[in-house]
Amino acid sequence: MDNEDSSFESSEMLASFLTSTPLLSESWRLCDLANTMPSQGFVAEQTGSVGYLAFSGVQLVAGPDPTSARNLEPLVTSAIGLFSPLQHQIDGEEEEGQEPVMVHAGLLRVFLSVYSNPSFQNQMLKILEKSKSIVISGHGIGGTTAGLCALWLLSYLQSISSTISVLCITFGSPLLGNESLSRAILRQGWAGNFCHVVSKHDLVPRLLFAPLAPLTPQLHSLLQFWQLSMTSPHFALLAAKLPDESKAEIFHTVLASLNGLTQAEEGKKVNCGFWPFGNYFFCSEDGAICIDNATSIIKMMHLLLLSSSPSCSIEDHLKYGYYVRKLTLQVLTRTSFPPWELPESSYEAGVALALQSSGIACQDEHVAPPAKACLKLPRRTGRTPNLNCANLAIKLSKIAPYRAEIEWYKASCDQSDDQMGYYDSFKQRGASKRGSKVNMNRLKLARFWDNVINMLENNDLPRDFRRRAKWVNASQFYMLLVEPLDIAEYYRTGMHRKKGHYIRHGRERRYHIFERWWKERPIKEEEQKTRSKFASSTQDTCFWARVEEAKEWLDNVRDESDPRNQARLWSDLDNFARYASELVERKEVSKDVVAKNSSYCLWVRDYEELKSQFVGAPQFPSIMDREVVS
């Protein structure tokens, strides 16, 4: 069967499964225990092969500016080496206007403080030694600490190729980071490792959706105080002391912000620094549902809050123990339908049951219709990831002729009497039919591989897709064969004069991704052997872009009058000359690089000639007399 079940069915199944296991109750028990031990910050337990770690929600968010409750800072630059897989997910994206992966600055400092604690390090070592599965949990800001701990642990386990599974369960946790963080977690295949339990009325998980500006000075100060109170050891006390008018003002501000976010897709651009990730487990008096689509999560947060009041939104943050006990007993409420209200199909029946589990009455004319639409929104249609992968393999075989034609073109260029080579022949192809056909094939292959990346990022392919040898090798072969053509076209059309040089301003994102796949693959022993002949394709796929930059440096050094700038240019030229010579010596280039009239060989002649004019300058070893081994 090609089509998967609709998302509300799978979300209710996940909610039912989770409440029928001891995971929720054990996680909350330890969170409750951790909250009574704020000085340590966490508690750990071992149950068979499952290790439990719970973080206290009673912690102060310290920082250089304690008056700020909303600072976002880059995750990787703030915690170098701890979250490197998430940094890899944004390679090449800043050029397209994407933000780096960022998290709440104060909440990150809380985690780093716990992480640097020798007691935490010792407990983690013990858990890793004894566990096949690790469950990390936390309440309130303990939930954000748990989330960061899970991200660190997933990064570490990936680096050592460990099979230990990780599950993070949070209760009433504030938002942690921006949309780039959510997207990076999704691409890494870690979204399923996070389950955020959010009660129907709790304001804390929704609070950071509310902007601090533009607001009246009074409301700005009030909302900032509330957001700081959220991270205080005395949250319940501070919240209870707020006047009813202040509570109502904050409540309606958050509600209005959520309403604005749900309208964004209708043309209202809303700037929100924080974004949800993973699965959200919405619980109420009537049951629970799980949702994993970020847009649907925000809409459901808004719809559930519509039926709340300022007072119960504060109280609900402290009632997760009650909800866990209630859900564990009832699992999910299943209500039968009277004969006159029977849904038209099993699909509609499933929607109605999910609606009841969320605590929204079907009779509520203001909330029920948009809630139904929200539950239907993330429904997966089309093929399952494994079927998509199989279908993609068929499409890969169908594009083989395009690759074959480009390979034939490369071979004919390398054997041509003009001795220009593959890169320069394509760059100077003029209006030839053969060159135009190769260019069309280049564009068709690019569309195929861009579609592969889009499917992977939309979770339409298996999570281990990027590690499967078939696709790693196919993407690397494509990159070696086609990126030189992309570089040639970039400089042929003068894009370097409009945008800047290729490597920093013109390289397509797909190449950054494929390069990372190749670096992360297991290296075979034969790959480490010394080459006896030139490679079929130059191993540095950006080699020709480096040549183009070096040609510009050579032109600039002739006209440069400032001795300091001239010295810098000569240093760049010498470094490239040394790098290129080493590639040729190791035979890691295709023989078109050392073709007599290639751009590289012409550059070497100009470089040697110009350098000979500088008295006392060290000479670059010539490659003109090297024998090309075919």
Side-chain angles (χ1 to χ4, degrees):
M1 185 175 181
D2 284 359
N3 290 345
E4 290 187 350
D5 293 334
S6 60
S7 62
F8 72 83
E9 289 168 346
S10 60
S11 70
E12 277 209 290
M13 288 170 63
L14 178 57
S16 179
F17 167 75
L18 197 57
T19 51
S20 66
T21 70
L23 288 172
L24 273 184
S25 57
E26 281 297 291
S27 296
W28 174 254
R29 180 182 66 81
L30 290 174
C31 285
D32 206 18
L33 180 61
N35 285 341
T36 65
M37 304 169 62
S39 59
Q40 183 174 336
F42 67 93
V43 295
E45 275 192 15
Q46 189 74 34
T47 305
S49 61
V50 180
Y52 285 90
L53 188 68
F55 291 93
S56 171
V58 185
Q59 303 179 58
L60 279 171
V61 177
D65 182 11
T67 62
S68 175
R70 296 181 56 84
N71 282 348
L72 281 164
E73 62 182 48
L75 176 63
V76 178
T77 55
S78 304
I80 298 173
L82 295 183
F83 307 97
S84 54
L86 296 177
Q87 170 66 14
H88 293 162
Q89 297 303 315
I90 59 167
D91 284 348
E93 289 188 10
E94 283 99 338
E95 297 171 9
E96 302 172 13
Q98 299 289 349
E99 281 188 334
V101 173
M102 302 182 79
V103 295
H104 189 292
L107 298 174
L108 178 59
R109 281 190 286 274
V110 171
F111 167 71
L112 293 177
S113 175
V114 175
Y115 177 80
S116 61
N117 186 338
S119 176
F120 171 79
Q121 298 282 349
N122 293 334
Q123 287 287 355
M124 282 307 307
L125 285 174
K126 292 177 182 178
I127 290 174
L128 288 168
E129 287 174 1
K130 299 178 181 178
S131 303
K132 292 182 179 178
S133 302
I134 299 176
V135 180
I136 305 172
S137 59
H139 175 227
I141 63 168
T144 55
T145 309
L148 285 165
C149 181
L151 290 174
W152 159 72
L153 187 56
L154 287 165
S155 302
Y156 171 71
L157 293 175
Q158 179 176 291
S159 70
I160 62 173
S161 302
S162 173
T163 58
I164 297 175
S165 63
V166 177
L167 176 63
C168 178
I169 301 176
T170 71
F171 299 90
S173 173
L175 297 169
L176 177 59
N178 63 352
E179 189 174 359
S180 293
L181 173 67
S182 176
R183 186 169 55 248
I185 290 170
L186 190 66
R187 291 175 187 167
Q188 194 64 28
W190 292 345
N193 297 79
F194 295 86
C195 179
H196 306 287
V197 182
V198 174
S199 64
K200 181 178 180 179
H201 309 294
D202 188 3
L203 201 62
V204 171
R206 300 163 166 91
L207 196 58
L208 289 177
F209 281 125
L212 289 176
L215 296 172
T216 63
Q218 183 180 6
L219 186 55
H220 179 283
S221 300
L222 192 62
L223 189 59
Q224 191 173 45
F225 166 77
W226 177 257
Q227 291 175 346
L228 283 166
S229 299
M230 174 186 71
T231 59
S232 166
H234 309 293
F235 167 76
L237 182 62
L238 292 170
K241 286 186 175 181
L242 279 176
D244 290 341
E245 298 80 9
S246 299
K247 295 176 185 176
E249 207 168 1
I250 292 171
F251 174 84
H252 290 298
T253 300
V254 174
L255 191 62
S257 299
L258 281 166
N259 182 56
L261 284 170
T262 60
Q263 301 298 322
E265 63 183 7
E266 298 175 14
K268 296 181 181 178
K269 181 64 176 177
V270 179
N271 183 18
C272 175
F274 293 87
W275 206 250
F277 65 86
N279 299 277
Y280 269 69
F281 185 97
F282 291 103
C283 58
S284 70
E285 294 276 354
D286 303 296
I289 56 171
C290 276
I291 298 178
D292 63 359
N293 177 280
T295 303
S296 296
I297 288 167
I298 294 171
K299 288 186 176 182
M300 189 57 70
M301 281 187 167
H302 173 240
L303 293 168
L304 292 174
L305 201 61
L306 280 174
S307 60
S308 304
S309 67
S311 58
C312 69
S313 292
I314 294 172
E315 296 169 359
D316 231 34
H317 183 67
L318 307 174
K319 289 179 60 178
Y320 283 97
Y322 164 77
Y323 284 117
V324 168
R325 288 190 297 272
K326 188 175 179 64
L327 290 171
T328 302
L329 291 172
Q330 70 180 27
V331 185
L332 284 177
T333 300
R334 296 290 179 176
T335 305
S336 59
F337 299 99
W340 58 88
E341 291 184 5
L342 284 175
E344 296 179 358
S345 66
S346 60
Y347 176 78
E348 292 298 331
V351 173
L353 287 172
L355 202 61
Q356 291 174 5
S357 294
S358 67
I360 296 175
C362 295
Q363 295 79 16
D364 192 330
E365 296 179 358
H366 299 289
V367 180
K372 282 185 179 180
C374 178
L375 289 166
K376 293 178 180 180
L377 177 66
R379 184 189 186 196
R380 182 188 288 278
T381 57
R383 296 176 178 271
T384 63
N386 284 329
L387 286 174
N388 281 334
C389 188
N391 188 52
L392 207 56
I394 295 172
K395 291 181 180 179
L396 180 64
S397 65
K398 289 182 177 179
I399 64 168
Y402 305 147
R403 297 199 311 268
E405 287 185 20
I406 294 177
E407 287 183 85
W408 173 81
Y409 175 78
K410 182 180 187 306
S412 63
C413 290
D414 291 345
Q415 297 168 8
S416 175
D417 292 338
D418 59 22
Q419 298 186 53
M420 290 172 58
Y422 177 50
Y423 171 80
D424 289 286
S425 295
F426 185 74
K427 182 182 175 185
Q428 302 177 35
R429 66 184 183 275
S432 70
K433 283 187 176 181
R434 187 175 65 168
S436 298
K437 184 67 179 294
V438 167
N439 191 45
M440 286 299 298
N441 290 346
R442 176 182 72 89
L443 297 174
K444 289 175 182 177
L445 290 173
R447 283 196 294 270
F448 171 82
W449 285 106
D450 283 342
N451 180 57
V452 170
I453 292 169
N454 288 334
M455 291 178 69
L456 184 61
E457 293 177 353
N458 290 330
N459 277 349
D460 292 329
L461 294 172
R463 289 184 178 179
D464 66 343
F465 180 87
R466 59 175 63 82
R467 290 186 288 273
R468 295 186 180 184
K470 174 186 178 71
W471 293 101
V472 172
N473 293 332
S475 62
Q476 175 69 1
F477 180 78
Y478 158 75
M479 185 165 67
L480 290 170
L481 183 66
V482 176
E483 189 166 16
L485 301 183
D486 283 8
I487 297 169
E489 187 66 10
Y490 189 83
Y491 286 94
R492 177 179 181 269
T493 56
M495 291 302 296
H496 62 293
R497 289 189 289 271
K498 299 175 183 177
K499 295 174 63 177
H501 281 289
Y502 174 85
I503 294 176
R504 288 176 295 280
H505 304 288
R507 197 180 191 205
E508 293 291 344
R509 183 166 158 268
R510 74 180 85 93
Y511 294 127
H512 291 278
I513 294 172
F514 296 157
E515 190 172 61
R516 186 175 70 251
W517 291 3
W518 185 249
K519 287 179 180 177
E520 292 175 354
R521 82 197 187 286
I523 298 177
K524 298 178 181 178
E525 186 177 346
E526 55 265 26
E527 294 181 44
Q528 300 175 349
K529 294 180 180 178
T530 304
R531 292 180 180 273
S532 59
K533 59 181 181 180
F534 283 101
S536 57
S537 297
T538 300
Q539 299 303 289
D540 178 0
T541 58
C542 289
F543 177 80
W544 290 109
R546 302 186 203 283
V547 171
E548 296 289 353
E549 285 195 68
K551 286 165 63 179
E552 184 177 281
W553 296 337
L554 207 56
D555 292 336
N556 291 342
V557 79
R558 291 188 177 99
D559 303 327
E560 184 58 59
S561 56
D562 188 324
R564 288 175 298 180
N565 290 339
Q566 193 174 70
R568 177 181 53 80
L569 286 168
W570 273 117
S571 176
D572 292 339
L573 285 164
D574 290 344
N575 287 336
F576 171 72
R578 191 177 303 108
Y579 168 74
S581 178
E582 289 172 357
L583 281 184
V584 174
E585 289 286 354
R586 296 195 302 266
K587 293 184 167 49
E588 291 182 6
V589 297
S590 172
K591 61 183 181 182
D592 68 314
V593 169
V594 293
K596 182 178 179 181
N597 296 317
S598 73
S599 290
Y600 172 66
C601 285
L602 294 177
W603 176 87
V604 170
R605 294 191 191 103
D606 289 346
Y607 169 80
E608 291 179 337
E609 180 181 349
L610 186 61
K611 194 152 191 176
S612 66
Q613 299 171 10
F614 284 76
V615 178
Q619 297 302 303
F620 175 65
S622 176
I623 66 163
M624 296 301 106
D625 299 327
R626 289 192 181 118
E627 181 183 357
V628 176
V629 182
S630 60

